């Protein structure tokens, strides 16, 4: 995500999600855990939580449009609570603005 409040899906992410949808269609018992994250720059904890929730929900919306049942999509947001890089640098903040997708069998 290019900015702290960006929740749009890039074409690269859509291509990846198309593969996830194909996998889920071929494996009807599979579920997906979707966790949205945010950096801590430019927003209150409430705002970063909202952004991370929205990032996860964008993935859910995309996959449901691809025919995947909402019941198979476990979505949540963690705000800025689980950074993977230093939020004091632009590169670190960019890495912390992410969605983690895990296929659960």
């Amino acid at each position: 995500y290019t900015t702290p409040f960006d929740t749009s899906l890039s074409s690269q992410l859509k291509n990846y999600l198309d593969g996830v949808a194909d996998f889920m269609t071929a494996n009807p018992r599979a579920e997906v855990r979707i966790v949205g994250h945010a950096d801590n720059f430019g927003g209150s904890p409430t705002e970063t939580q909202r952004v991370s929730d929205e990032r996860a929900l964008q993935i859910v919306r995309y996959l449901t449009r691809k025919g995947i049942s909402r019941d198979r999509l476990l979505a949540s947001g963690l705000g800025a609570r689980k950074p993977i890089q230093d939020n004091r640098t632009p590169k670190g903040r960019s890495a912390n603005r992410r969605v983690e997708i895990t296929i659960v069998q």
Side-chain angles (χ1 to χ4, degrees):
Y1 298 95
T2 57
T3 67
F5 302 107
D6 183 11
T7 61
S8 62
L9 303 180
S10 68
S11 59
Q12 181 181 5
L13 180 54
K14 288 178 183 178
N15 287 336
Y16 177 81
L17 293 173
D18 289 345
V20 171
D22 290 344
F23 177 86
M24 293 188 74
T25 299
N27 297 276
R29 292 187 159 191
E31 295 179 342
V32 173
R33 182 175 299 118
I34 303 159
V35 181
H37 296 270
D39 63 20
N40 68 355
F41 189 76
S44 68
T46 301
E47 185 65 15
T48 59
Q49 181 64 50
R50 185 198 64 75
V51 168
S52 68
D53 289 341
E54 182 60 28
R55 285 181 177 148
L57 288 173
Q58 287 288 357
I59 303 295
V60 168
R61 290 181 192 116
Y62 189 86
L63 291 173
T64 56
R65 285 193 302 270
K66 293 290 182 175
I68 305 304
S69 170
R70 176 65 177 96
D71 295 341
R72 299 172 63 199
L73 306 172
L74 315 168
S76 64
L78 289 179
R81 293 187 299 275
K82 298 275 185 171
I84 57 172
Q85 290 193 20
D86 191 339
N87 271 311
R88 293 178 291 182
T89 68
K91 181 180 175 188
R93 287 189 299 275
S94 179
N96 293 331
R97 296 187 295 260
R98 68 193 189 282
V99 175
E100 295 174 346
I101 300 169
T102 307
I103 295 175
V104 181
Q105 289 274 14

